[in-house]
Amino acid sequence: MLAAPDIDVDVFRAQIDVIGPLSPPMAILVSRHDLALRASELLSTDRPEL
């Protein structure tokens, strides 16, 4: 399991490459109402985050 309030897309891709294929596949849970994610989005640069 990967758990983070936010994670850079490039970091996520690198971690997935190391982990490799999963059985069962990975599920990504998100919430539009997460205040920590919203604060991070406001403070972050122009780089997309997951």
Side-chain angles (χ1 to χ4, degrees):
M1 172 173 35
L2 301 173
D6 62 8
I7 188 168
D8 182 87
V9 171
D10 294 331
V11 172
F12 179 75
R13 287 183 181 139
Q15 290 175 340
I16 293 301
D17 287 343
V18 170
I19 293 170
L22 299 172
S23 179
M26 180 182 295
I28 299 175
L29 306 175
V30 297
S31 171
R32 293 180 189 261
H33 305 290
D34 189 312
L35 295 177
L37 288 175
R38 188 160 309 244
S40 175
E41 179 183 2
L42 292 172
L43 297 172
S44 70
T45 62
D46 293 334
R47 293 184 54 99
E49 294 183 352
L50 181 66

